[in-house]
Amino acid sequence: LEFRRVLFRSDLRFANECDVIRKHGGKVVLLTRGEEAKGDAHASENSLDDYPFDAVIDNAAMTKSQQLDAAVTYLRESFQLS
C-alpha cells in the first residue's frame, strides 16, 4: 500500500510560502471571497494577486463545509486519491 498525506494550510500570503508547498509536490488553491473583499492595499493582502495558482475556487456563496468539499474534491482528483 502507498500512503499519502494531505495537509491543508490556510492563509498563505506570499509567493515564497506557495513556492515551498509546490517544491514539495503540493498544490496551491485560491479560495476567493468575491469582488467585495478586494481593495486592501497591504502587501500581505495583495502580494499573490498575480500568482499562478493550481486552481481557483470561488467561495463567495459557499458555506465552510462546501469550501472544504470543493478543495478536497480538487485535491483527490489532482493527486488521484480515493
Side-chain angles (χ1 to χ4, degrees):
L1 283 178
E2 180 182 342
F3 292 95
R4 297 182 186 198
R5 286 190 225 181
V6 175
L7 169 71
F8 283 88
R9 172 65 176 99
S10 65
D11 205 22
L12 297 174
R13 296 191 178 241
F14 296 100
N16 64 325
E17 297 170 330
C18 298
D19 294 343
V20 168
I21 290 170
R22 282 191 166 154
K23 178 181 174 184
H24 293 282
K27 301 287 184 184
V28 181
V29 179
L30 173 65
L31 296 176
T32 65
R33 296 180 295 177
E35 292 298 318
E36 70 279 353
K38 294 185 177 185
D40 193 331
H42 192 271
S44 68
E45 293 296 330
N46 60 30
S47 68
L48 295 174
D49 285 355
D50 296 320
Y51 192 82
F53 293 96
D54 296 299
V56 177
I57 298 172
D58 181 2
N59 70 354
M62 292 180 165
T63 65
K64 295 281 186 193
S65 179
Q66 290 170 326
Q67 293 171 29
L68 181 60
D69 287 345
V72 167
T73 297
Y74 167 75
L75 293 171
R76 282 185 185 203
E77 291 171 359
S78 180
F79 288 109
Q80 301 175 344
L81 302 172
S82 55

PDB file of all heavy atoms in Angstrom, residues 1 8 29 36 44 48 64 75 79:
ATOM      1  N   LEU A   1       0.813  -1.188   0.000  1.00  0.00           N
ATOM      2  CA  LEU A   1       0.000   0.000   0.000  1.00  0.00           C
ATOM      3  C   LEU A   1       0.857   1.252   0.000  1.00  0.00           C
ATOM      4  O   LEU A   1       1.856   1.309   0.694  1.00  0.00           O
ATOM      5  CB  LEU A   1      -0.875   0.054   1.258  1.00  0.00           C
ATOM      6  CG  LEU A   1      -2.108  -0.809   1.321  1.00  0.00           C
ATOM      7  CD1 LEU A   1      -2.784  -0.633   2.671  1.00  0.00           C
ATOM      8  CD2 LEU A   1      -3.076  -0.498   0.226  1.00  0.00           C
ATOM      9  N   PHE A   8      -3.725  20.670   4.693  1.00  0.00           N
ATOM     10  CA  PHE A   8      -4.319  21.941   4.296  1.00  0.00           C
ATOM     11  C   PHE A   8      -3.629  23.040   5.082  1.00  0.00           C
ATOM     12  O   PHE A   8      -3.525  22.976   6.300  1.00  0.00           O
ATOM     13  CB  PHE A   8      -5.822  21.967   4.627  1.00  0.00           C
ATOM     14  CG  PHE A   8      -6.654  21.193   3.667  1.00  0.00           C
ATOM     15  CD1 PHE A   8      -6.875  19.852   3.863  1.00  0.00           C
ATOM     16  CD2 PHE A   8      -7.207  21.812   2.563  1.00  0.00           C
ATOM     17  CE1 PHE A   8      -7.646  19.129   2.976  1.00  0.00           C
ATOM     18  CE2 PHE A   8      -7.972  21.098   1.671  1.00  0.00           C
ATOM     19  CZ  PHE A   8      -8.192  19.744   1.877  1.00  0.00           C
ATOM     20  N   VAL A  29      -4.166  26.250  -3.919  1.00  0.00           N
ATOM     21  CA  VAL A  29      -5.521  26.543  -4.359  1.00  0.00           C
ATOM     22  C   VAL A  29      -5.967  27.865  -3.743  1.00  0.00           C
ATOM     23  O   VAL A  29      -5.841  28.062  -2.534  1.00  0.00           O
ATOM     24  CB  VAL A  29      -6.485  25.414  -3.933  1.00  0.00           C
ATOM     25  CG1 VAL A  29      -7.913  25.736  -4.361  1.00  0.00           C
ATOM     26  CG2 VAL A  29      -6.035  24.073  -4.503  1.00  0.00           C
ATOM     27  N   GLU A  36     -16.295  42.012  -3.458  1.00  0.00           N
ATOM     28  CA  GLU A  36     -16.418  42.969  -2.356  1.00  0.00           C
ATOM     29  C   GLU A  36     -15.269  42.876  -1.364  1.00  0.00           C
ATOM     30  O   GLU A  36     -15.029  43.795  -0.595  1.00  0.00           O
ATOM     31  CB  GLU A  36     -17.758  42.783  -1.622  1.00  0.00           C
ATOM     32  CG  GLU A  36     -17.877  41.505  -0.821  1.00  0.00           C
ATOM     33  CD  GLU A  36     -18.237  40.279  -1.653  1.00  0.00           C
ATOM     34  OE1 GLU A  36     -18.524  40.409  -2.843  1.00  0.00           O
ATOM     35  OE2 GLU A  36     -18.215  39.180  -1.074  1.00  0.00           O
ATOM     36  N   SER A  44       0.476  42.101   2.372  1.00  0.00           N
ATOM     37  CA  SER A  44       0.098  40.727   2.726  1.00  0.00           C
ATOM     38  C   SER A  44      -1.284  40.355   2.193  1.00  0.00           C
ATOM     39  O   SER A  44      -1.638  39.185   2.158  1.00  0.00           O
ATOM     40  CB  SER A  44       0.119  40.543   4.244  1.00  0.00           C
ATOM     41  OG  SER A  44      -0.909  41.289   4.859  1.00  0.00           O
ATOM     42  N   LEU A  48      -0.251  38.103  -3.743  1.00  0.00           N
ATOM     43  CA  LEU A  48      -0.500  36.914  -4.567  1.00  0.00           C
ATOM     44  C   LEU A  48      -1.508  37.171  -5.691  1.00  0.00           C
ATOM     45  O   LEU A  48      -1.959  36.237  -6.347  1.00  0.00           O
ATOM     46  CB  LEU A  48      -0.997  35.756  -3.686  1.00  0.00           C
ATOM     47  CG  LEU A  48       0.012  35.241  -2.666  1.00  0.00           C
ATOM     48  CD1 LEU A  48      -0.634  34.197  -1.765  1.00  0.00           C
ATOM     49  CD2 LEU A  48       1.239  34.676  -3.357  1.00  0.00           C
ATOM     50  N   LYS A  64     -18.686  27.028   4.840  1.00  0.00           N
ATOM     51  CA  LYS A  64     -17.352  26.471   5.149  1.00  0.00           C
ATOM     52  C   LYS A  64     -17.290  25.013   4.735  1.00  0.00           C
ATOM     53  O   LYS A  64     -16.280  24.549   4.197  1.00  0.00           O
ATOM     54  CB  LYS A  64     -17.039  26.601   6.641  1.00  0.00           C
ATOM     55  CG  LYS A  64     -16.907  28.012   7.119  1.00  0.00           C
ATOM     56  CD  LYS A  64     -15.566  28.571   6.766  1.00  0.00           C
ATOM     57  CE  LYS A  64     -15.414  29.950   7.384  1.00  0.00           C
ATOM     58  NZ  LYS A  64     -14.299  30.673   6.859  1.00  0.00           N
ATOM     59  N   LEU A  75      -8.324  18.224  -4.796  1.00  0.00           N
ATOM     60  CA  LEU A  75      -7.091  17.525  -4.416  1.00  0.00           C
ATOM     61  C   LEU A  75      -7.177  16.033  -4.688  1.00  0.00           C
ATOM     62  O   LEU A  75      -6.203  15.423  -5.137  1.00  0.00           O
ATOM     63  CB  LEU A  75      -6.751  17.798  -2.956  1.00  0.00           C
ATOM     64  CG  LEU A  75      -6.368  19.248  -2.671  1.00  0.00           C
ATOM     65  CD1 LEU A  75      -6.256  19.479  -1.168  1.00  0.00           C
ATOM     66  CD2 LEU A  75      -5.064  19.624  -3.364  1.00  0.00           C
ATOM     67  N   PHE A  79      -4.460  14.531  -7.236  1.00  0.00           N
ATOM     68  CA  PHE A  79      -3.475  13.554  -6.770  1.00  0.00           C
ATOM     69  C   PHE A  79      -3.951  12.117  -6.956  1.00  0.00           C
ATOM     70  O   PHE A  79      -3.303  11.185  -6.497  1.00  0.00           O
ATOM     71  CB  PHE A  79      -3.138  13.795  -5.293  1.00  0.00           C
ATOM     72  CG  PHE A  79      -2.324  15.027  -5.071  1.00  0.00           C
ATOM     73  CD1 PHE A  79      -2.874  16.141  -4.460  1.00  0.00           C
ATOM     74  CD2 PHE A  79      -0.999  15.087  -5.454  1.00  0.00           C
ATOM     75  CE1 PHE A  79      -2.118  17.283  -4.241  1.00  0.00           C
ATOM     76  CE2 PHE A  79      -0.230  16.214  -5.243  1.00  0.00           C
ATOM     77  CZ  PHE A  79      -0.793  17.324  -4.631  1.00  0.00           C
TER      78      PHE A  79
END
